[in-house]
Amino acid sequence: MPGFESFGDLERKEVEDVLDNGVLMRYGFDAMRNGHYKAKSLEEELQNTLQVNHAQLVTNGTAAVSVALALAGVGAGDEVIIPCFTFVASFEAIMMLGAIPVLVDIDATLTLDPNAVKAAITDKTKAIMPVHMCGSMADLDALSAIAKAHNLKLVEDACQAIGGTYKGTALGAYGDLGCFSFDFVKTITCGEGGAVVTNNATYAKHADLFTDHGHDHIGNDRGAEGHPYLGYNFRISELNAAVGLAQVRRLKDFIAIQKKNYTILRDALATIPEVTFRTVPEGGEESYAFLSFFLPDLETARKVSAGFKAAGVDACFHYYDNNWHYVRKWEHLKDIKTLYPVSKEVTNGLAYLKTKTFDQSDHFIGRNLSCLIKLSWTEAEVKARAQQMVTAIQQAL
């Protein structure tokens, strides 16, 4: 991770197809295309790769979350339960629908704690959204049971976890709807792009309409198409899709490289008794995009983080002190600092953040470091990195 480390002839060929015919838009201009439909082809490739019935490309992962939640019936004043460890896009996408993000604690999976989810359900709750942070998942069976018991939708934010699986099902394809990001630093990149996936034919039809101004895409004259519903513009370009098409065809190779590098690092750190690793639910397999582990306490984690930087061990994140991924530094959300008026329902709905504490999550995030696994490392570089990490941890201890 990320895919931009490994651009090659496959990506160039797909992009050249688009530039040769000159059609950068995914819809229309059929006579000019020379048979090239990169967005449509990428959707089909995703369906085959993820073993899911439908995939709808969108502009980015944030749009994918908003679209998926809209299809799930989330709207003004509704509540969506999400983990307090995620990327800010998760709550931004909810608020764009006029809905309320309800942040709850994580557990040793670094994702949603099912017990915290149960405690947060109200008569306004419409969906539960686990976020598969750093390439691994929550206990999806437990969350699915909770959702079914309360007639809620389960929407997976798998933006950081393409290539991971849970009990043989691709992450993102387990719930009612799933979301992916293909931005510049994801395992599969389009530069900018995302996708909504589902096995529900109605959701798929509505996704096609919703992401293109309500166009029904019936007939050969775009200007004469019907508009049975209101929609928005979340169309991906053919250029972005072309890069993603080449990349998704290489996903298995990317995951294999990540797993090899991950395993070398994990085996080295496992020799240190004070180091433990995030919990992966039974039947789950990570995407190996990150190696996430725990140290004994917050102070040690901070020392190790500083030691890694001093030793030149880059791309290892201590999210407790991070502005973008953990609730502790989200003052702009807690104070609702927006550039547009927010409804009273959202303002009142977010009031809980003024006083809510996340002691359980602090316990896990404070002790956690998550280290990016790169595709471009040689085996010698990975082994050298492993030794640097072991030395830095031992010195901090």
Side-chain angles (χ1 to χ4, degrees), residues 46-69:
L46 286 168
Q47 289 164 195
N48 292 333
T49 298
L50 301 172
Q51 290 296 288
V52 67
N53 291 343
H54 308 282
Q56 179 73 43
L57 290 176
V58 293
T59 47
N60 51 59
T62 311
V65 175
S66 282
V67 171
L69 290 172

Side-chain angles (χ1 to χ4, degrees), residues 138-192:
D139 183 340
L140 290 174
D141 278 355
L143 294 178
S144 178
I146 295 168
K148 289 175 181 176
H150 294 273
N151 194 30
L152 306 174
K153 301 303 180 185
L154 185 66
V155 178
E156 294 177 78
D157 180 340
C159 288
Q160 289 194 9
I162 192 167
T165 60
Y166 180 72
K167 297 187 175 180
T169 298
L171 295 182
Y174 178 93
D176 295 291
L177 294 134
C179 312
F180 291 95
S181 170
F182 306 129
D183 74 20
F184 194 54
V185 294
K186 295 301 189 293
T187 301
I188 295 301
T189 184
C190 293
E192 287 287 358

